[in-house]
Amino acid sequence: MKETGKVFLVGAGPGDPGLITEKGLKRLRECDVVVYDHLASERFLDEVPEESQRIYVGKKAGCHYMKQEEINQLLVDLAREGKNVVRLKGGDPFVFGRGGEEVMAVSREGIPFEVVSGVTSAVAALASAGIPVTHRAVSRSFHIMTGHTMTEAGKLPLDFSEFAKLSGTLIFLMGLTHLPLIVKGLLENGKPGSMPAAVIEKGTLPGQRVVRGTLDTVEQRVAEEGIGTPAIIVVGEVTALDFASTYHEPLEGARVAVTGTDLLAAKLRKSLEEAGAYTECVLSMELESHRSGEAMKTAYERLADYGWIVFTSANAVREFFLGLLESGRDNRRLGHVKFAAVGKGTAKELLQYGFTTDYMPEEYCAAALAEGLKSVVKEGERLLIPRSGKGSPELVEILDSAGIVYDDIVLYDVAERRKEAKEMAESLKKADYLTFASGSGVDAFFENAGEDVTALLDEIRVVCIGDITARKLEEHGRKADVTAARFTVEGMTEAISRDWNRGSEN
Ligand code: SAH
């Protein structure tokens, strides 16, 4: 019999991906299946192992996707199958998260469980909005109430009057639709109309909005601004304070949709997130290596025959050197070799392996590389070109025309993994930027994005790592809005940061 799995009830925090706990992240990275709902940021799904299952049980457009009893049963069933299950919930699992019901269901079945507390939105969204939940001499307590239990009949819960009379900060979750009722109830129970009040929408997330006012004005302010969910209502003197952060990361508030190979996408996202951006991968490409295939095996055996090794991507450099070691050789076999690199990113990668670049064209493209090689390659020198299966044919055509001898070998191929066209469209609609780090990435995107790509690209700024990629984009009828000056991940982050802050820089 299979060993029973465990259930981890993990709080995902209020939305900002940086506000999950280390323990929660660890559980996610090790789980076999994650069961999540709409409040838990989608960003976390990328932390789950590739082969693990992802099950959505949240609400969509107001209707319950799965009933609580069904979720409870699902957790039990999955654990019984021997799986380690992460039940990811927004904020803290026990703050109106129905975490208790899930715990009861699994513990009744003798399934081992653990609760990993999370940062609750009831506190974090306020902090993010600049409202301290308590403040010396202003508020000595805070109280959190759900607005959900206020009945459709428009009645407040029985204990509301006691709640309303508390002098501390009053916080309402799930209360936006009942805002008029809440305000009325508070006024009827003695709170003055001048009492400061605020509503925070999408706290800690890009698109966060804060409306401040008083009990008399807050409803109207919310209506004027068209505030939507998720939202928190705060009432109390602290609401008049504004301790919103004055330091901002350069990309704070920016949403970036990323495309690229796994490794590059991961690096780019890390770099962008460190700069404060919210990122999402809409199309990733997986590298399928042929470094231990027959063709490369022969190439490694014949290293002595080559005068040059030509690299057209950082991936090629990495794969080549990994393959070299795996073939039982090391860098000493390359002492006589000269290296050509298509551009700075490739040259930088080469440097990681201890080699400087002997030739790099001024313009970073395959044709310029081939043209340049014509003048630096000496007669009789043989070239090794280990590269992507999708490499530009122009490179070898130009070399052919010059009578240069070479071995053009497919070192790796690129396989695509992507969101469904519909999902991709959803992500793009919300994003401020879309990034491309290679021409093949551009092609793959247009192949996959579905019919209405142009419409999707209207409202978004498109970023290319360099001129070649930008040119490829133009072939698809779109000009790049931002092109990195340095053709590296850091260069892209820098260019996007500059663009994002362009309004505030004069
Ligand atoms: N367990 C969660 C709360 C679940 S109840 C927690 O600890 O945060 C869901 C309610 O939480 C929403 O209706 C809304 O009132 C509030 N909420 C959650 N995330 C929010 C956010 N990022 N901004 C504003 N309100 C949020």
Side-chain angles (χ1 to χ4, degrees):
M1 215 184 89
K2 247 192 183 161
E3 205 183 316
T4 309
K6 304 173 209 55
V7 172
F8 301 99
L9 231 68
V10 175
D16 176 346
L19 289 176
I20 192 171
T21 64
E22 279 204 29
K23 192 165 184 180
L25 208 51
K26 178 170 148 55
R27 293 298 180 229
L28 268 180
R29 288 178 175 150
E30 292 169 357
C31 73
D32 302 308
V33 48
V34 59
V35 177
Y36 67 104
D37 45 45
H38 69 302
L39 274 183
S41 169
E42 293 231 337
R43 173 68 181 88
F44 297 127
L45 299 184
D46 298 323
E47 300 291 341
V48 174
E50 183 58 38
E51 62 282 5
S52 300
Q53 227 181 325
R54 296 149 168 80
I55 305 177
Y56 180 75
V57 295
K59 278 191 269 180
K60 253 178 194 166
C63 58
H64 275 281
Y65 202 65
M66 209 186 247
K67 291 206 181 73
Q68 187 60 49
E69 298 72 43
E70 292 171 321
I71 298 175
N72 298 349
Q73 191 57 45
L74 178 69
L75 298 177
V76 168
D77 291 346
L78 289 168
R80 283 232 184 92
E81 286 168 29
K83 296 195 169 117
N84 285 327
V85 187
V86 163
R87 170 70 174 115
L88 190 67
K89 301 170 89 68
D92 181 273
F94 287 154
V95 178
F96 307 127
R98 306 191 72 169
E101 288 159 71
E102 293 170 9
V103 163
M104 279 154 71
V106 297
S107 74
R108 203 164 35 224
E109 301 295 325
I111 295 162
F113 68 91
E114 179 192 50
V115 179
V116 181
S117 179
V119 176
T120 179
S121 64
V123 172
L126 274 64
S128 179
I131 301 169
V133 279
T134 67
H135 188 65
R136 205 176 140 82
V138 177
S139 167
R140 306 171 57 212
S141 63
F142 60 91
H143 313 272
I144 304 166
M145 184 179 245
T146 166
H148 197 62
T149 46
M150 300 184 183
T151 59
E152 296 81 41
K155 281 207 206 99
L156 292 162
L158 288 175
D159 56 355
F160 191 86
S161 56
E162 279 131 71
F163 188 80
K165 289 191 179 101
L166 293 165
S167 66
T169 309
L170 304 184
I171 300 161
F172 298 87
L173 268 57
M174 300 181 278
L176 191 65
T177 48
H178 298 298
L179 181 63
L181 192 62
I182 291 169
V183 168
K184 190 165 154 263
L186 292 173
L187 292 173
E188 280 172 6
N189 282 284
K191 287 267 187 276
S194 59
M195 174 63 76
V199 175
I200 306 151
E201 176 194 346
K202 295 200 183 80
T204 79
L205 284 163
Q208 166 179 306
R209 292 197 292 169
V210 187
V211 159
R212 289 168 189 268
T214 61
L215 281 179
D216 282 338
T217 63
V218 71
E219 270 180 74
Q220 198 195 336
R221 294 278 298 115
V222 162
E224 277 166 10
E225 299 289 331
I227 293 293
T229 56
I232 288 180
I233 303 163
V234 197
V235 177
E237 299 291 351
V238 287
T239 317
L241 299 170
D242 187 357
F243 297 156
S245 308
T246 53
Y247 170 74
H248 298 286
E249 299 284 5
L251 278 176
E252 209 168 291
R255 292 185 81 111
V256 188
V258 171
T259 70
T261 55
D262 285 350
L263 201 72
L264 189 125
K267 267 196 198 166
L268 181 58
R269 292 180 75 177
K270 186 157 180 278
S271 161
L272 290 167
E273 283 174 6
E274 275 167 12
Y278 188 87
T279 74
E280 202 172 348
C281 194
V282 289
L283 174 82
S284 79
M285 291 166 288
E286 206 170 354
L287 205 132
E288 208 178 294
S289 183
H290 305 306
R291 62 177 190 251
S292 45
E294 277 311 310
M296 280 309 295
K297 232 163 143 181
T298 315
Y300 288 127
E301 275 160 22
R302 292 196 190 147
L303 285 174
D305 300 345
Y306 296 111
W308 287 81
I309 299 181
V310 179
F311 289 117
T312 56
S313 72
N315 280 327
V317 174
R318 206 171 308 112
E319 286 301 315
F320 175 84
F321 282 96
L322 280 175
L324 180 72
L325 282 180
E326 285 167 8
S327 79
R329 299 171 176 84
D330 64 24
N331 287 5
R332 283 172 295 184
R333 303 287 178 132
L334 301 169
H336 65 289
V337 173
K338 279 171 278 187
F339 290 99
V342 72
K344 271 190 195 155
T346 308
K348 196 175 156 202
E349 191 66 33
L350 192 53
L351 206 55
Q352 302 272 327
Y353 293 91
F355 293 99
T356 53
T357 296
D358 299 282
Y359 177 73
M360 184 171 77
E362 262 172 39
E363 196 190 354
Y364 297 167
C365 70
L369 174 65
E371 287 297 340
L373 281 170
K374 286 201 311 203
S375 57
V376 292
V377 171
K378 297 206 186 82
E379 225 186 298
E381 279 183 327
R382 195 181 183 87
L383 272 52
L384 173 63
I385 314 174
R387 57 177 179 153
S388 152
K390 278 198 183 141
S392 149
E394 246 184 319
L395 176 67
V396 288
E397 280 162 18
I398 296 171
L399 295 179
D400 277 337
S401 72
I404 293 177
V405 256
Y406 60 84
D407 290 322
D408 180 18
I409 296 175
V410 178
L411 173 56
Y412 64 92
D413 274 307
V414 171
E416 288 146 23
R417 201 156 14 80
R418 59 174 175 88
K419 291 196 161 198
E420 292 299 316
K422 220 177 104 206
E423 251 185 285
M424 198 187 219
E426 282 307 311
S427 303
L428 291 175
K429 270 183 215 151
K430 283 184 264 168
D432 301 295
Y433 294 94
L434 168 67
T435 70
F436 290 112
S438 71
S440 51
V442 173
D443 285 338
F445 174 82
F446 280 87
E447 267 166 43
N448 285 308
E451 287 174 5
D452 238 351
V453 195
T454 30
L456 292 176
L457 294 188
D458 274 354
E459 299 288 322
I460 201 166
R461 290 181 70 77
V462 183
V463 185
C464 288
I465 194 167
D467 302 335
I468 317 168
T469 311
R471 224 170 295 144
K472 193 85 202 174
L473 185 66
E474 270 175 48
E475 285 173 23
H476 290 278
R478 177 67 154 84
K479 258 184 128 66
D481 300 295
V482 182
T483 305
R486 291 191 298 143
F487 301 172
T488 55
V489 158
E490 294 75 27
M492 276 178 109
T493 302
E494 215 173 83
I496 299 173
S497 301
R498 204 170 313 120
D499 189 71
W500 182 243
N501 294 303
R502 66 192 184 281
S504 53
E505 247 178 31
N506 27 42

